[in-house]
Amino acid sequence: MIKLENLYKSFDDLEVLKGINLEVKAGEVVCIIGPSGSGKSTMLRCMNQLETVTSGKIYIENVLVSHIEEGKDLLKFTEKEASKLRTNLGMVFQRFNLFPHLTVLENLTIAPKLVKNENEEETKKNALVLLGRVGLSDKKDEYPSKLSGGQQQRVAIARALAMNPKIMLFDEPTSALDPELVGEVLEVMKKLADEGMTMVVVTHEMGFAREVGTRVIFMDEGQIVEEGSPEDIFDHPQMDRTKSFLNKILK
């Protein structure tokens, strides 16, 4: 579903990603863990082409969607073509990024209408189904400011699903939430995993990574240090850097 080949990303003189190679297969829940500043979120944003890589290749469903070498874009997609390629990827951010001037229902229907030209009645019907899935049917006419952080993030998940993506990317979706609200968001994500959604999740929630992840990747200093099953990483880490990180956060 996703393949990254020799991915590098720099911001001016700061090299954030240093030769990332990664494959995500259909139905996998890949959880990415590691210290702050290790390049986890940047890698996710490169997958979705919210950041342009410095060099490397990105494949989505076996289609080469980005190929840059020595700063040269070898594919040269138009913005319209690039936007179409991104529709298979749903993205949920740390900060909910909901449109404050739109109701919950309007937040879910705006992109399918504008980007995919879906008719209003069908879009609204689908949005109501999605709000039911995240337990917020009764909030359809509310504005985001009237919702708790957990509710806003569940709306953000439903909004991403409204585009009918084949892959969901989550960038630390619970890090901005009060502790008591984390569980309701993780529960929605667990349901998605149970339904077979392909997911890449940058997270500090080690319990979620252990329980729901099919594969866990530990990143540090812009590189993948170690990857394996949750049992491999949490119970039998091989690399000293992985052991050190887990010893600090699992105490």
Side-chain angles (χ1 to χ4, degrees), residues 13-72:
D13 294 331
L14 179 64
E15 194 172 48
V16 179
L17 298 179
K18 305 170 184 176
I20 297 289
N21 291 288
L22 174 66
E23 288 191 41
V24 179
K25 294 181 172 59
E28 276 197 298
V29 179
V30 176
C31 293
I32 303 168
I33 64 172
S36 296
S38 60
K40 307 183 301 294
S41 293
T42 299
M43 183 174 76
L44 210 65
R45 291 175 66 84
C46 286
M47 286 181 188
N48 205 24
Q49 297 178 70
L50 294 173
E51 298 287 354
T52 302
V53 302
T54 304
S55 67
K57 296 178 181 178
I58 302 173
Y59 295 84
I60 304 295
E61 291 195 291
N62 294 320
V63 176
L64 184 62
V65 299
S66 177
H67 184 194
I68 296 176
E69 299 297 340
E70 298 178 355
K72 293 182 179 178

Side-chain angles (χ1 to χ4, degrees), residues 66-193:
S66 177
H67 184 194
I68 296 176
E69 299 297 340
E70 298 178 355
K72 293 182 179 178
D73 184 351
L74 301 182
L75 292 183
K76 296 185 173 64
F77 284 124
T78 66
E79 180 52 41
K80 187 175 182 180
E81 290 169 330
S83 178
K84 187 176 180 181
L85 291 167
R86 283 196 293 265
T87 58
N88 283 334
L89 293 164
M91 183 92 173
V92 178
F93 302 87
Q94 294 179 37
R95 301 285 172 180
F96 325 119
N97 288 6
L98 298 175
F99 297 113
H101 61 293
L102 300 180
T103 66
V104 165
L105 188 61
E106 289 166 342
N107 264 279
L108 265 66
T109 58
I110 186 170
K113 285 191 290 189
L114 291 179
V115 178
K116 300 179 88 172
N117 294 316
E118 293 182 4
N119 74 70
E120 187 155 355
E121 187 177 332
E122 193 64 31
T123 301
K124 185 176 179 180
K125 183 178 173 183
N126 185 44
L128 291 171
V129 170
L130 290 170
L131 286 175
R133 282 174 66 184
V134 300
L136 291 171
S137 296
D138 59 331
K139 303 294 184 183
K140 65 181 176 67
D141 296 320
E142 297 281 6
Y143 287 89
S145 61
K146 299 294 184 182
L147 305 180
S148 70
Q151 289 171 332
Q152 289 188 59
Q153 193 61 296
R154 283 189 280 155
V155 172
I157 293 171
R159 182 179 64 176
L161 291 171
M163 292 293 285
N164 198 28
K166 296 179 180 177
I167 306 159
M168 285 286 285
L169 308 179
F170 293 86
D171 186 9
E172 297 184 23
T174 59
S175 64
L177 300 178
D178 292 334
E180 67 268 26
L181 301 177
V182 168
E184 65 188 67
V185 173
L186 293 181
E187 197 57 42
V188 171
M189 293 170 65
K190 287 176 188 175
K191 286 180 183 175
L192 282 177

